[in-house]
Amino acid sequence: VLEMTNEELIQQANVEGKKFILAMQPHGIISFCSLCHWVNSPEELKGVRTAVASVLLKTPILKNVMGIYGLTPATSSNVRRVLQKGIGTKGSLVLYTGGIAEMFKSSYTEERLYLKNRKGFIKIALQLEGVDIIPVYLFGNTACLSVIRNSVLAGLSRRMQVAVTYYWGKWFLPIPRDEKLLFVRGKPLGLPYIPQPTSEDIVKWHGMYCDEVKRLFEENKERVPSYKHKKLFID
């Protein structure tokens, strides 16, 4: 479901010079939904880089396997660098707003996003001229695999910047369940350029972002069997 089509995104990025943060949620254990969408995307959009924990880029084998997705460190300074120096779609960025903390909220029975206090990406987008945010909802990400939801493991994983836990799917093995996936991309929020945003500015646009995420969820969850019963919580 693309409220902003691939053609519109490419036109605005490569012709009009706009840049976007494609803000993804939920993270899930492995983002199968976004991986499948990437495979079927036009070549122009495959140049959009994905921000990930720096440790992933230093992990042997994994960094080589995942390297085809154009990974880049998810640090604030690097996110700013990519958005400022990149041109066209290569100046845009995929960002999983909930990060590792959100992985531990994955559940087959409820949908929880780690978003309430994640406002840094809003501030960055406001401060950089020509940058906007497009919310993306990844249905199926939290249904394919389950995870041990443990606060100690979650805290340790956040400090280490890598998931330290066990996850499972079919037959209680780390094999994803056969679940329907649905990639839903909304429209740009229409952020203004505010070089020195106040706390009120950031809270205002963060609230608008959260409202848009809720709308995408509620308007599309009936399309996915495993989500019809789910309620969305923003933690």
Side-chain angles (χ1 to χ4, degrees), residues 29-30 32 108 141 143-147 166-179:
I29 309 304
I30 299 173
F32 292 108
Y108 199 79
N141 262 11
C144 292
L145 294 168
S146 299
V147 65
Y166 178 74
Y167 58 87
W168 69 93
K170 290 193 293 186
W171 310 304
F172 292 96
L173 296 173
I175 301 173
R177 303 183 183 95
D178 298 323
E179 295 290 342

Side-chain angles (χ1 to χ4, degrees), residues 47-106:
V48 177
R49 310 194 77 178
T50 299
V52 298
S54 299
V55 68
L56 183 62
L57 301 174
K58 301 175 183 177
T59 305
I61 301 177
L62 189 58
K63 67 178 181 180
N64 302 106
V65 173
M66 300 298 290
I68 62 171
Y69 300 109
L71 307 183
T72 191
T75 60
S76 176
S77 59
N78 185 64
V79 168
R80 289 177 183 275
R81 183 187 63 80
V82 172
L83 292 169
Q84 288 177 311
K85 295 186 177 181
I87 299 174
T89 51
K90 291 186 178 180
S92 295
L93 194 71
V94 169
L95 181 68
Y96 288 87
T97 56
I100 290 175
E102 196 169 80
M103 293 175 62
F104 286 87
K105 295 184 178 294
S106 296

Side-chain angles (χ1 to χ4, degrees), residues 13 44 47 73 150 187 211 227:
E44 294 92 333
N150 180 285
K187 295 181 179 180
D211 288 343
Y227 277 73

